Amino acid sequence: MKRFVIGILAHVDAGKTTLSDAILYLCKSIRKPGRVDKKDSFLDSYALERERGITIFSKQAVFEYGDVSFTLLDTPGHVDFSTEMERTLSVLDAAVLVVSGPEGIQAHTRTLWKLLKSYDIPTFVFVNKMDRNMRGAGDILVELKEGLSGGFVDMTALLDTGSKRAEKEAVLEEISLKDEDVLEEYVENGSIPDERIGELITDRKVFPCFFGSALKQEGVLYLLEAMKRYLPEIDYDDEFASRVIKTGRDSSGKRVVYLKITGGTLKNRDLVTYCTDGEDREEKITEIRLYNGEKYENIDSAVPGMVVGVTGLTFIKAGDILGNEDVTPEKKLTPVLSYRVAEEPARLRELLPVFKELEDEEPMLGVHWNDEVKELQVSIMGEIQLEVLKSNLKSRYNEEVRFDKGSILYRETLTAPVLGVGHYEPLRHYAEVQVVIEPGEPGSGIVFVSKCPKEELDTNWQRLIMTHVYEKEHLGCMIGAPVADVRITLVAGRAHQKHTEGGDFRQATYRALRQGMMRAFSEGKGRILEPYYEFALDLPKEHTGRAMTDIDRKFGKVTGHEESGKDGRVLLTGIGPVSEFEGYSKDVTAYTKGLGNFYCTFGGYRPCHNEDDVMAGKGYDPASDMRNPSYSVFCAKGAGFPVEWDKVDDYKHLDVKIDFAGSVNRTAHEGEVQTPSWGIKEVHIKDESDGGECVLSAPDEMIISGDEIDSILNRTFYANKKAEYRNPFRKHKSTVKALSQDSGGYKASGKDKAYEKKPEYLLVDGYNIIFAWEELKSIASANLDAARDRLNEILCNYRAVNRCEIIAVYDAYRVQGHPTEYLKYNNINIVFTKEAETADRFIERFAHENAARFDVTVATSDGLEQIIIRGQGAKLLSARDFYDEVKRTENRISEILLTKGDNQKLKQTIDTKNIL
């Protein structure tokens, strides 16, 4: 049996859901067709869908016609839910585009046509509501050919047994004109085989059209017969492969993953592999469900061409692939609005898991938690989607949630190329990266290329730099918006044979991009981009003047003007900023007294029309954004020191001469794209460094002498003879769970409760604290082991009262061949770093990889480390503040014991004068 997955797409109110019900009814899949106006449609089962009469969530139904099994995907028609519709496009074998006969081609119809073209999907057209249409099929066909494509053909006569021979020959002749080879065959044989017609449909050279009324089931059978007859059978691979359409939860709260099988066979209890968020996973399928509307049946296996729901996959997301499937579809649409959840901070913490669960089902929802300002924001397409979000929160979680007015999601780009330099060289680390950042194609996002010879920087390092460019969202320096539509070219880089690690290039790459954006900002080469709508305004001719005035006042631009002499109406098409045109449909309805219609779709990002006002409103200070540092880190006299972005050129080790003389000082968004003509003149090393250290000067207060470092390290690891320090950390149960030795960070193992309050971790830079506290420093001058033991005891007392996980990190990086050692000491965890890794480096890496999941605080007075840690999103506690906190903790212990009335025991066990 042949199997096809078909999707039905349409502008809102074109009759898409009605057509779905008609197909299911005629194929005996349902007992009676539902109606949108009666709120009993088979696939619109969601309460808000029936209330508003629109499709919000894509759903599936299975039916058979002849010897063909079809899976029907009913998709949303409203622009606010275009992302839901778009995710189904990558799994469709064919599509049915529904066009309303009375309205003809509408704004969203054009958007859908562009998407169908971009995904290369064979398309059938059903012109609906012909029972209410005053125009004939011929007029509508002409409109389709002129407005969308010349390949539309009314093929009803070929399928109608009552059609005359001349009518059928006319259709075959029109089909033959779409391809020269087919034309020759038709002239020679006088006929065209069904297989050849199917090839033309598959190649999108022919688009079969049928006319009728879905409500009255007229013309629907012709559509079904055409799909059965002309769609060629698909040849699937034997190896298992599938693509995820979406995720959701059933009535019991169980996570269900909806996917299309594109190769092999999926059986219940099978182990499947997939990659999500850059991490490989292997999980077992626990259940396979074949859905038909809201109901489903459990099946033992699924074969290619089927769309099924499976359980057991915990981490996979919409758009991910399983098995041998290797092509990931590109996202064409993006949210344009951001809404802040207007609730108290304490309640935001409770709501975050709820929003994260909804984001899991709808990745384009875009849930963002800003821990610094304690704000929860969501990104969406429009106001109706916000209404659906509120309804979901109420119906599923019984949560009444308030949102603010909303704001625009801006982007930043450049108008001319700049050079960005990033250098990262704390003690025993080294990396330098230099890139040219220049304007890119509109809508291109970030494009990375390399012009750095592999003789200067090994290919592996260059690939690592590319990974770091793409792994995070880099922010601009005008308003702190994500950088977009830029081309990043690696022009130079340098590593150290012994001291360079992968994380060093991460820091250098981030700083190079940030320094380049700071340079662009200071030189006036930055530009803010804002989202635009492509709109179509259909209204009576007498209101044209008002409409044109509104468009001009809202900084829009009219790109098309069509008049209809028959009914006295005007169609204006154009573009305009989302910030100005959001909600304009209500104004159109008001001043036309319900006779006008305003349709809009996302039209990409363009230069902001009120850049100065946006900058003033944001009040962004790039220098104070510690999460996105622009300074570089250099090394001198055994210590690292920061160098601000505008002084980096004086310290950088690679002197890159670039000729920007031929650069075009404009942005690609303003017209024809012109690639700036710049060239690398020469690259030479300014300053040779040995062992990652150069001879540049640094601020005196940042320097720790090499003798002092040797004094610390010579008395560290092997001087300690206590047995408990030799026990492998892995042998002890610990609330820290498991440690990833490859990355140097603690990672949860097993299944954690999702989105619960972040665990609190305190990382203590052991030797930094010892030599910062006078009491411990005096002990260390005689015996460093004793000072370390005393600090560990103090931390144990602190842990008992404050209930946070404590990790004390001690340097052991000069102990030859020493691996990272993890120990359990009473109620705290102790880490001795591996060879060539400092405690600073371990802490920085832990903060980078875990600050988003844990509430991380670092106790240290190392000035450079403090800056870097702040940039990783962790909290800081200076040695002085930590000392005061410890004293307060001791007072609390005293109060607790005094409350119990055990004063005598207190005197015997605690000598308050010797705590520190």
Side-chain angles (χ1 to χ4, degrees):
M1 175 178 285
K2 293 194 296 184
R3 298 180 183 276
F4 299 108
V5 178
I6 62 172
I8 300 185
L9 300 87
H11 187 95
V12 63
D13 293 333
K16 169 181 54 60
T17 301
T18 305
L19 177 61
S20 300
D21 276 46
I23 289 174
L24 297 175
Y25 173 71
L26 292 173
C27 294
K28 297 180 172 50
S29 183
I30 58 176
R31 294 182 179 180
K32 67 174 184 177
R35 292 186 53 154
V36 175
D37 55 350
K38 293 184 179 180
K39 302 180 181 181
D40 61 353
S41 300
F42 179 71
L43 292 176
D44 281 352
S45 55
Y46 183 53
L48 194 60
E49 289 178 317
R50 292 180 171 176
E51 178 183 336
R52 297 188 65 96
I54 60 174
T55 300
I56 296 174
F57 303 108
S58 61
K59 292 168 287 294
Q60 77 177 63
V62 180
F63 66 92
E64 294 181 3
Y65 182 78
D67 60 348
V68 181
S69 174
F70 290 95
T71 299
L72 170 65
L73 299 181
D74 184 27
T75 58
H78 196 280
V79 62
D80 279 11
F81 311 105
S82 296
T83 53
E84 177 84 10
M85 172 274 302
E86 187 182 353
R87 284 201 301 270
T88 67
L89 295 179
S90 63
V91 302
L92 295 185
D93 301 318
V96 177
L97 180 64
V98 183
V99 178
S100 174
E103 285 79 16
I105 300 175
Q106 297 171 278
H108 197 48
T109 309
R110 299 181 187 275
T111 300
L112 296 173
W113 183 254
K114 292 178 183 177
L115 285 170
L116 290 169
K117 181 179 179 180
S118 67
Y119 281 93
D120 199 28
I121 299 174
T123 304
F124 297 77
V125 176
F126 185 80
V127 181
N128 193 26
K129 303 182 181 180
M130 292 301 292
D131 55 330
R132 296 165 42 191
N133 190 21
M134 301 300 293
R135 298 190 297 168
D139 292 338
I140 298 174
L141 194 61
V142 170
E143 181 183 354
L144 292 172
K145 291 180 177 180
E146 294 178 351
L148 298 179
S149 170
F152 292 98
V153 179
D154 182 357
M155 296 178 62
T156 306
L158 289 182
L159 306 174
D160 187 356
T161 56
S163 297
K164 297 179 180 180
R165 181 176 180 180
E167 294 174 334
K168 295 184 177 182
E169 289 179 349
V171 175
L172 290 175
E173 182 177 343
E174 186 176 1
I175 293 174
S176 69
L177 296 175
K178 310 304 179 185
D179 184 269
E180 291 185 3
D181 294 337
V182 175
L183 177 60
E184 291 180 5
E185 292 181 21
Y186 178 67
V187 171
E188 182 178 348
N189 303 322
S191 63
I192 305 176
D194 289 347
E195 293 77 9
R196 292 292 279 161
I197 296 177
E199 291 175 4
L200 294 176
I201 295 173
T202 302
D203 294 339
R204 287 183 58 84
K205 294 182 178 180
V206 171
F207 305 102
C209 293
F210 303 95
F211 300 81
S213 170
L215 187 62
K216 297 180 179 180
Q217 293 101 48
E218 295 175 355
V220 179
L221 288 176
Y222 292 129
L223 172 65
L224 290 169
E225 182 64 28
M227 290 191 292
K228 185 194 80 169
R229 182 180 298 187
Y230 298 124
L231 284 177
E233 186 170 3
I234 300 173
D235 184 20
Y236 292 103
D237 292 336
D238 294 333
E239 189 175 352
F240 170 71
S242 67
R243 185 183 301 279
V244 178
I245 305 173
K246 66 175 184 176
T247 65
R249 298 195 179 264
D250 60 15
S251 57
S252 64
K254 182 180 292 187
R255 192 172 194 260
V256 182
V257 177
Y258 300 85
L259 48 85
K260 179 191 177 183
I261 310 299
T262 56
T265 301
L266 177 67
K267 297 180 180 179
N268 200 11
R269 316 303 294 181
D270 273 355
L271 278 174
V272 295
T273 59
Y274 61 91
C275 179
T276 186
D277 293 334
E279 187 171 353
D280 293 329
R281 302 276 187 178
E282 184 179 64
E283 293 184 289
K284 181 181 291 185
I285 301 296
T286 58
E287 193 178 6
I288 303 177
R289 303 175 177 181
L290 183 61
Y291 275 87
N292 197 8
E294 288 186 294
K295 300 179 180 180
Y296 68 88
E297 62 174 313
N298 289 319
I299 58 177
D300 295 328
S301 62
V303 297
M306 296 180 66
V307 175
V308 295
V310 300
T311 62
L313 303 182
T314 308
F315 305 99
I316 203 164
K317 298 178 180 178
D320 286 343
I321 57 178
L322 294 93
N324 197 38
E325 185 76 10
D326 58 359
V327 179
T328 301
E330 180 185 359
K331 295 179 180 178
K332 306 292 182 182
L333 304 177
T334 181
V336 297
L337 298 174
S338 176
Y339 286 83
R340 184 180 65 86
V341 180
E343 300 290 346
E344 295 298 323
R347 186 157 186 253
L348 292 178
R349 291 281 189 180
E350 299 174 358
L351 289 173
L352 183 58
V354 173
F355 278 96
K356 283 294 185 180
E357 186 170 297
L358 292 174
E359 183 187 35
D360 178 59
E361 301 173 17
E362 174 52 271
M364 295 298 286
L365 182 62
V367 177
H368 307 282
W369 169 255
N370 189 326
D371 194 54
E372 290 186 354
V373 296
K374 301 296 185 290
E375 281 188 357
L376 180 61
Q377 296 180 332
V378 293
S379 303
I380 59 176
M381 290 292 291
E383 292 180 351
I384 294 183
Q385 189 180 5
L386 180 64
E387 182 181 343
V388 172
L389 177 59
K390 291 180 180 179
S391 176
N392 259 333
L393 290 167
K394 178 62 178 176
S395 61
R396 292 175 55 178
Y397 305 99
N398 196 29
E399 294 283 1
E400 294 277 1
V401 179
R402 296 175 293 117
F403 295 85
D404 67 359
K405 185 179 179 181
S407 59
I408 301 298
L409 294 175
Y410 294 96
R411 299 285 186 268
E412 292 188 39
T413 191
L414 301 181
T415 60
V418 295
L419 177 67
V421 180
H423 189 95
Y424 186 71
E425 192 187 1
L427 184 65
R428 298 297 184 263
H429 296 272
Y430 188 92
E432 180 163 303
V433 173
Q434 298 195 27
V435 295
V436 169
I437 313 172
E438 58 188 310
E441 296 270 2
S444 62
I446 292 180
V447 177
F448 177 86
V449 295
S450 176
K451 290 187 178 180
C452 180
K454 63 180 180 180
E455 293 79 11
E456 295 181 10
L457 186 65
D458 188 77
T459 304
N460 290 334
W461 293 127
Q462 295 192 36
R463 289 173 178 167
L464 189 61
I465 292 171
M466 179 181 67
T467 299
H468 297 324
V469 167
Y470 287 122
E471 72 185 1
K472 67 168 286 189
E473 195 172 58
H474 302 279
L475 303 186
C477 299
M478 300 179 73
I479 58 173
V483 175
D485 300 348
V486 295
R487 178 184 173 94
I488 299 171
T489 304
L490 176 66
V491 294
R494 193 181 184 203
H496 190 278
Q497 186 175 3
K498 180 179 180 181
H499 297 298
T500 298
E501 298 181 4
D504 299 342
F505 272 105
R506 173 187 288 114
Q507 296 295 336
T509 302
Y510 289 178
R511 284 162 168 75
L513 296 175
R514 186 67 170 178
Q515 197 257 7
M517 295 305 295
M518 286 290 285
R519 194 193 301 270
F521 176 54
S522 65
E523 296 176 0
K525 297 179 181 178
R527 169 141 302 170
I528 300 175
L529 303 176
E530 67 175 327
Y532 268 64
Y533 279 143
E534 291 180 357
F535 65 79
L537 180 54
D538 179 24
L539 73 172
K541 188 175 182 179
E542 58 268 23
H543 297 291
T544 305
R546 164 66 188 273
M548 296 290 285
T549 300
D550 285 351
I551 293 171
D552 184 65
R553 176 174 55 84
K554 292 177 176 292
F555 302 94
K557 179 181 179 181
V558 175
T559 59
H561 182 280
E562 299 178 15
E563 293 188 14
S564 175
K566 297 180 181 180
D567 52 11
R569 297 184 69 83
V570 173
L571 177 65
L572 301 175
T573 57
I575 59 173
V578 172
S579 59
E580 298 288 340
F581 282 87
E582 177 68 19
Y584 182 57
S585 59
K586 298 177 182 177
D587 296 339
V588 173
T589 301
Y591 72 72
T592 63
K593 296 180 173 57
L595 299 178
N597 297 293
F598 179 77
Y599 307 105
C600 60
T601 57
F602 176 60
Y605 276 81
R606 300 171 184 267
C608 183
H609 75 283
N610 59 338
E611 193 171 88
D612 292 339
D613 294 338
V614 172
M615 289 185 64
K618 294 289 185 179
Y620 179 69
D621 180 13
S624 63
D625 187 352
M626 299 306 297
R627 289 179 177 269
N628 298 277
S630 58
Y631 64 87
S632 285
V633 180
F634 291 82
C635 187
K637 299 180 182 179
F641 63 96
V643 175
E644 291 301 322
W645 71 271
D646 55 344
K647 300 295 191 299
V648 170
D649 286 346
D650 299 331
Y651 289 80
K652 63 184 181 182
H653 292 180
L654 295 174
D655 191 15
V656 182
K657 303 295 185 183
I658 297 180
D659 181 14
F660 286 126
S663 301
V664 181
N665 189 24
R666 61 183 295 178
T667 174
H669 286 268
E670 294 180 331
E672 182 180 354
V673 177
Q674 298 188 27
T675 302
S677 56
W678 55 268
I680 305 173
K681 298 177 67 174
E682 60 176 314
V683 180
H684 71 271
I685 300 173
K686 288 176 60 178
D687 182 18
E688 285 285 356
S689 67
D690 184 17
E693 299 182 21
C694 65
V695 297
L696 301 175
S697 62
D700 291 340
E701 63 270 20
M702 299 296 294
I703 297 175
I704 302 176
S705 68
D707 291 339
E708 184 176 0
I709 294 174
D710 289 337
S711 175
I712 295 172
L713 296 176
N714 288 337
R715 294 173 291 166
T716 57
F717 185 70
Y718 285 112
N720 193 321
K721 302 300 181 181
K722 291 188 177 181
E724 59 265 29
Y725 280 96
R726 318 315 299 171
N727 291 335
F729 181 77
R730 59 183 174 81
K731 290 185 178 180
H732 296 269
K733 295 182 180 180
S734 170
T735 54
V736 181
K737 299 179 181 177
L739 188 68
S740 173
Q741 298 190 23
D742 293 335
S743 63
Y746 288 94
K747 295 186 177 180
S749 64
K751 188 174 181 181
D752 297 322
K753 293 183 179 179
Y755 314 123
E756 61 186 2
K757 183 180 178 181
K758 289 183 179 181
E760 296 181 6
Y761 282 85
L762 172 64
L763 272 72
V764 179
D765 188 341
Y767 292 120
N768 180 275
I769 296 297
I770 287 175
F771 284 88
W773 291 1
E774 289 299 328
E775 293 85 346
L776 294 178
K777 187 175 182 181
S778 63
I779 299 176
S781 62
N783 189 322
L784 185 60
D785 287 347
R788 188 172 59 232
D789 291 345
R790 187 63 185 141
L791 176 59
N792 291 338
E793 292 171 4
I794 293 171
L795 295 177
C796 288
N797 287 339
Y798 184 84
R799 166 69 175 86
V801 175
N802 290 278
R803 304 298 183 185
C804 64
E805 297 297 334
I806 294 180
I807 306 173
V809 185
Y810 296 99
D811 290 299
Y813 74 83
R814 288 198 177 182
V815 180
Q816 186 174 2
H818 182 261
T820 306
E821 189 169 4
Y822 312 102
L823 309 174
K824 183 69 175 179
Y825 182 79
N826 294 333
N827 57 351
I828 67 170
N829 303 284
I830 298 175
V831 174
F832 286 101
T833 62
K834 63 184 178 181
E835 179 187 10
E837 181 178 53
T838 64
D840 295 356
R841 180 57 183 152
F842 181 93
I843 293 172
E844 291 164 17
R845 192 155 49 177
F846 184 99
H848 174 79
E849 297 179 356
N850 297 290
R853 298 189 298 129
F854 302 144
D855 188 352
V856 179
T857 301
V858 178
T860 181
S861 283
D862 186 313
L864 177 62
E865 185 180 0
Q866 287 182 337
I867 296 173
I868 295 173
I869 289 300
R870 284 287 300 274
Q872 305 293 0
K875 300 175 183 177
L876 289 177
L877 194 62
S878 69
R880 179 70 257 176
D881 291 340
F882 187 37
Y883 179 86
D884 295 338
E885 180 69 18
V886 168
K887 296 298 291 182
R888 284 192 291 269
T889 299
E890 293 168 3
N891 293 334
R892 289 179 59 192
I893 294 174
S894 300
E895 291 173 0
I896 292 172
L897 294 177
L898 287 171
T899 301
K900 294 181 178 180
D902 198 358
N903 295 338
Q904 185 63 31
K905 185 178 180 180
L906 177 65
K907 293 177 182 179
Q908 295 174 354
T909 57
I910 298 183
D911 184 354
T912 56
K913 295 181 180 181
N914 295 322
I915 288 294
L916 290 175

